[in-house]
Amino acid sequence: MENQINEDANSVNTDNVENEEKKVAENGLPMDNAGEVIGEIEEVDPSEAHKTEVAELKDKYMRLYADFENFRRRTAKEKLEMISGASADLIKAVLPIVDDFERAKVSFDSSTEIEALKEGVDLIYTKLYKTLESKGLKPMQSKGEVFDAELHESIAQFPAPTEDLKGKVIDEIEKGYFLNEKVIRYAKVIVGA
């Protein structure tokens, strides 16, 4: 009798395992206890998965590269427009001074008063200087200052007339200029040795 009970138990256990295997094994789809299909399992070829991933990454790269190229072109165009706009602004400010010089040239031919001509040229010079100053131009003061290679360009050295002028600028041949605190032309100077 014990053998029969063991055989019956084995047959019951085997049936349960076979039923569970059937739930999973049919068409390779997993099933729940009610016998409903839980989801579908698609077999994907690894090489195909890699090809799609590479294609997606390549597409992202190309879009990013195109965006960067558009950004680069746009900023280069804006920079050129800004430079030309700044040049146009300066030219508009200088044109009235050019008109004054043309009127002065006509005066030189017709006038004989040298003092009036000098005064007219001085006025035009002052107007030009003030216009450039309003655009950020500032002259460099070099004479009597200590020689600084960041600001000055030494074209000659002469013996200093006094001890305190050694290593200092004795004379200024050509003025240096700043534009908005940046050196745009170095002063050409003579340094005391």
Side-chain angles (χ1 to χ4, degrees), residues 155-183:
I155 58 170
Q157 282 189 348
F158 285 122
T162 60
E163 267 315 295
D164 63 325
L165 288 177
K166 282 190 177 183
K168 292 187 177 181
V169 175
I170 296 174
D171 196 12
E172 186 177 52
I173 305 300
E174 194 173 86
K175 257 187 185 177
Y177 289 94
F178 296 105
L179 182 63
N180 299 324
E181 304 304 320
K182 181 181 176 193
V183 177

Side-chain angles (χ1 to χ4, degrees), residues 92-124:
K92 284 179 186 176
V94 171
L95 281 177
I97 299 165
V98 171
D99 294 338
D100 290 346
F101 272 119
E102 288 174 352
R103 285 191 284 276
K105 274 180 65 174
V106 171
S107 292
F108 283 136
D109 295 336
S110 63
S111 179
T112 55
E113 289 187 42
I114 294 180
E115 205 54 45
L117 292 174
K118 280 183 178 181
E119 188 178 320
V121 170
D122 284 342
L123 287 173
I124 294 171

Side-chain angles (χ1 to χ4, degrees), residues 42-104:
E42 292 182 27
E43 289 190 28
V44 180
D45 185 23
S47 65
E48 288 298 320
H50 291 303
K51 285 180 184 178
T52 27
E53 186 180 357
V54 166
E56 288 173 4
L57 291 174
K58 187 176 181 181
D59 182 55
K60 284 182 184 177
Y61 168 75
M62 292 304 287
R63 289 177 190 273
L64 183 64
Y65 183 75
D67 285 346
F68 177 72
E69 282 298 311
N70 290 338
F71 169 76
R72 190 179 58 81
R73 283 189 203 113
R74 186 174 52 251
T75 53
K77 182 180 175 184
E78 288 171 357
K79 184 178 178 183
L80 286 174
E81 288 174 356
M82 188 178 1
I83 290 170
S84 67
S87 298
D89 188 38
L90 179 64
I91 295 298
K92 284 179 186 176
V94 171
L95 281 177
I97 299 165
V98 171
D99 294 338
D100 290 346
F101 272 119
E102 288 174 352
R103 285 191 284 276

Side-chain angles (χ1 to χ4, degrees), residues 12-26:
V12 172
N13 288 341
T14 310
D15 289 340
N16 288 341
V17 173
E18 286 175 10
N19 287 341
E20 285 182 24
E21 285 178 6
K22 284 182 185 176
K23 287 183 184 177
V24 176
E26 288 181 28

